[in-house]
Amino acid sequence: MGVTLLLGYVVLALPNQIGALGSPVAWWPPLELPLMVMALWCLPYRVSRFLAPVVAIALLLLALIKLADMVALQAYWRIFDPVSDWRLIGPGWNVFSGTVGADKAWLLAGVLVTTLLLMLGITMAGWSLLSRQNTSNQPAGQRRWLRSLTAGWLVISLAGLVWHDVPRPAGSSRLIVEHIDQSRQNLRDLAALKEYALHDPAAQMPAERLLTGLKGRDVLFVFIESYGRTALEDERYAGVMRSRMAAIDSELGQAGFGARSAWLASPTVGGQSWLAHATLQSGLWIDSQRRYNWLMGTDRVSLARLFNRAGWKTMAVEPALTREWLANRYFRFDEVLDARNLGYKGDPFNWITMPDQYTWSVLQRLALAPGDRAPVMAEIATLTSHAPWTPIPPMVAWDRVGDGRIFNQWANAGDPPDVVWQDSDRVRAQYLKSIDYALEALASFVAHYGDDNLVVIAMGDHQPASLITGEGASMDVPVHVMTRDSSVLNQFAKWGWQSGMLPNQDSAHWGMDVLRQRLIEGFGSP
């Protein structure tokens, strides 16, 4: 029974934030534990013996929720949503196993499952024993000891209610209420979003008025993985990135391209890039898996469908995808290029299926090469700057990229991710290298292959996790437009986008959901 009470204490006192684990105050004896024990003793044994396993299962579920909160708060800056976040288990497992290795990932998963099952067995047996302590066939000394322990615990827990340096001990109760309130608020917000989504002027706009200011242009919407405002403003990264931006401005200028930049507020952080993609495409604020699931079943017209109606061939370039992309039933891109048909013959870079430079090279060859073709609208999700950020290949001459096998010499270079990720400073250094590479590859592609008909709108999909940004970072991402077309650059200048690749505090700041409507209004016929 002592082990059961100890486990109950650990589960009930356990904070749901990693940063609070080291705080002694967080481990103040929780009020719920003595109340649960007293409740069992107050009930008839025939009732309490059935209730004891329920208590054990409830404690296990509470532990799982707290652990899930730790991960969600660290990665996504929000608590776990049991209704929809279970869908993240698959993508999360893919990244985790790609980072630490499949064998180690399965070993750790097995240890976790075994630990949880052992905990469940111990607590079920222990709480069943506790439920018997109010029966006459238990030793009187043991019953007195347990009652004294429970009474003392209750006094200490209640003392925390009046001691101003200690938060209210009922932390687990408040946590459950917080999750319930979150679910209710999510439902209310979703109802409001559904009402707002019914009003979409672009859906009824005639094709001859759509996006006329971009007619004949190849328009590329580029999502640069994990490219957030932190990369340009945090002192740990800003020196390298500002030098990179200056070099890109020079490289683009020599090729006849201009650039303008601003900030976008992303609906997500740390992961779930598809929420950012859906927000851009729908013009709706898709900041949760619940909203995303709803959107996939609606008739809301995507940006890809609008471009298609106006005469563009639409493409999605998704090198991370290794199976059928069911979401395209909503987006309706004419063609999807993914890891299965991009033709990469080189070795993967851990979880990363192919380097960005290869993605750009094959996009040029398959879709953008000069010829008698319709203009292309493409959404490209670059991948090299996705965690675990190691290894990072160098740039090679574009005529040497070929089928990607040239990159094999770097696919396993340096320490593996499970070694790198033992040192936070090394992880941050690798993140910086990956963002620097992603922008270098993009700019080199534009300067090397771009022509008078190319318009590139490149943005971060989200900020990286707290390990990279630190606490208190915004959810902003940079956004850049690159083109030789002065009329396009002038339109973005009217919106307050800063000249060059480096946005500043005075640059325009929009929600990512605003960009769709601004493009329709700014480049459509009145």
Side-chain angles (χ1 to χ4, degrees):
M1 286 184 293
V3 175
T4 299
L5 291 173
L6 178 61
L7 285 173
Y9 160 71
V10 170
V11 170
L12 290 168
L14 180 71
N16 69 336
Q17 302 179 42
I18 293 177
L21 291 174
S23 171
V25 171
W27 294 94
W28 189 266
L31 180 62
E32 294 96 336
L33 187 59
L35 293 179
M36 290 163 62
V37 173
M38 292 169 63
L40 284 179
W41 290 345
C42 291
L43 294 170
Y45 175 63
R46 63 179 179 274
V47 176
S48 63
R49 71 191 182 96
F50 289 110
L51 189 60
V54 175
V55 172
I57 294 172
L59 286 172
L60 178 65
L61 293 176
L62 179 61
L64 289 174
I65 288 176
K66 288 186 174 184
L67 293 174
D69 275 356
M70 288 184 192
V71 175
L73 287 166
Q74 187 70 16
Y76 307 129
W77 304 358
R78 59 169 176 78
I79 61 175
F80 179 73
D81 181 359
V83 175
S84 58
D85 281 352
W86 61 270
R87 297 172 183 267
L88 302 179
I89 294 175
W93 173 259
N94 290 337
V95 175
F96 177 66
S97 60
T99 299
V100 304
D103 292 341
K104 185 175 291 187
W106 280 111
L107 176 61
L108 292 173
V111 170
L112 177 61
V113 171
T114 301
T115 301
L116 292 173
L117 290 175
L118 184 62
M119 172 185 162
L120 179 61
I122 291 173
T123 52
M124 289 184 73
W127 282 97
S128 294
L129 287 174
L130 281 170
S131 68
R132 298 175 189 167
Q133 294 308 305
N134 207 32
T135 60
S136 58
N137 60 351
Q138 298 300 315
Q142 180 174 294
R143 281 186 287 165
R144 284 195 300 270
W145 176 81
L146 279 173
R147 288 173 182 175
S148 299
L149 176 63
T150 303
W153 191 299
L154 183 62
V155 170
I156 294 173
S157 298
L158 290 172
L161 294 175
V162 295
W163 185 16
H164 67 88
D165 286 334
V166 178
R168 293 181 64 85
S172 294
S173 301
R174 291 204 318 274
L175 179 64
I176 293 172
V177 171
E178 183 180 358
H179 276 276
I180 293 173
D181 288 344
Q182 174 191 253
S183 292
R184 289 176 175 172
Q185 186 60 48
N186 287 342
L187 290 173
R188 288 193 292 267
D189 291 346
L190 182 56
L193 181 69
K194 291 178 180 178
E195 179 66 25
Y196 175 78
L198 295 175
H199 308 286
D200 184 14
Q204 305 302 323
M205 187 175 290
E208 62 272 13
R209 290 174 51 196
L210 270 174
L211 303 163
T212 53
L214 296 172
K215 285 291 186 183
R217 306 288 186 262
D218 292 322
V219 183
L220 310 184
F221 293 92
V222 182
F223 282 100
I224 302 173
E225 174 65 41
S226 300
Y227 174 42
R229 188 165 187 158
T230 294
L232 300 184
E233 295 187 343
D234 191 300
E235 61 182 11
R236 294 171 293 186
Y237 319 117
V240 171
M241 293 311 301
R242 289 176 182 273
S243 296
R244 172 59 60 196
M245 293 312 199
I248 291 176
D249 279 332
S250 176
E251 183 178 19
L252 293 179
Q254 293 176 15
F257 280 83
R260 288 196 170 272
S261 302
W263 304 108
L264 296 176
S266 174
T268 184
V269 64
Q272 293 184 272
S273 305
W274 52 90
L275 302 184
H277 302 178
T279 295
L280 171 69
Q281 286 286 331
S282 67
L284 301 174
W285 193 247
I286 308 300
D287 62 348
S288 69
Q289 190 66 35
R290 191 188 303 235
R291 290 185 173 210
Y292 182 86
N293 296 341
W294 163 78
L295 177 67
M296 293 299 101
T298 70
D299 293 325
R300 176 80 175 187
V301 180
S302 68
L303 189 60
R305 291 171 62 188
L306 293 174
F307 268 90
N308 181 265
R309 190 198 302 169
W312 273 265
K313 177 184 179 181
T314 60
M315 305 178 67
V317 183
E318 302 282 349
L321 294 178
T322 58
R323 61 187 68 180
E324 183 184 1
W325 190 31
L326 298 180
N328 198 41
R329 296 173 184 174
Y330 164 74
F331 295 118
R332 300 191 196 178
F333 287 98
D334 294 325
E335 184 176 1
V336 176
L337 296 177
D338 58 27
R340 301 171 301 170
N341 57 15
L342 280 166
Y344 181 67
K345 302 298 184 183
D347 295 333
F349 282 59
N350 294 307
W351 184 81
I352 309 304
T353 56
M354 63 194 71
D356 289 353
Q357 188 178 9
Y358 178 82
T359 303
W360 289 117
S361 177
V362 75
L363 173 66
Q364 174 64 27
R365 174 164 50 85
L366 295 181
L368 301 178
D372 184 15
R373 60 175 176 81
V376 170
M377 175 273 191
E379 179 184 289
I380 302 107
T382 63
L383 198 55
T384 297
S385 52
H386 194 293
W389 304 308
T390 182
I392 308 298
M395 291 288 293
V396 302
W398 286 100
D399 60 2
R400 298 182 61 203
V401 172
D403 62 7
R405 277 180 276 202
I406 190 173
F407 297 109
N408 286 354
Q409 57 192 302
W410 300 291
N412 297 294
D415 289 331
D418 59 331
V419 174
V420 173
W421 277 68
Q422 295 177 22
D423 184 338
S424 298
D425 290 335
R426 287 192 68 184
V427 175
R428 296 185 188 103
Q430 287 300 126
Y431 166 75
L432 176 58
K433 288 180 182 178
S434 73
I435 292 296
D436 185 58
Y437 168 86
L439 287 164
E440 180 185 14
L442 168 62
S444 180
F445 162 77
V446 172
H448 185 78
Y449 288 116
D451 57 24
D452 293 344
N453 293 325
L454 181 65
V455 176
V456 175
I457 301 175
M459 68 203 81
D461 54 2
H462 53 70
Q463 286 264 52
S466 299
L467 173 65
I468 305 299
T469 64
E471 299 298 327
S474 74
M475 296 180 69
D476 292 346
V477 297
V479 58
H480 318 281
V481 59
M482 311 172 202
T483 184
R484 289 175 180 166
D485 190 329
S486 59
S487 65
V488 173
L489 292 173
N490 290 339
Q491 180 60 60
F492 282 92
K494 293 177 183 178
W495 290 330
W497 289 42
Q498 182 74 23
S499 179
M501 287 291 292
L502 199 62
N504 58 29
Q505 298 298 325
D506 297 326
S507 300
H509 183 281
W510 301 345
M512 195 174 285
D513 55 331
V514 172
L515 187 53
R516 171 183 179 269
Q517 189 61 28
R518 287 297 183 100
L519 293 174
I520 293 168
E521 294 174 354
F523 293 100
S525 299

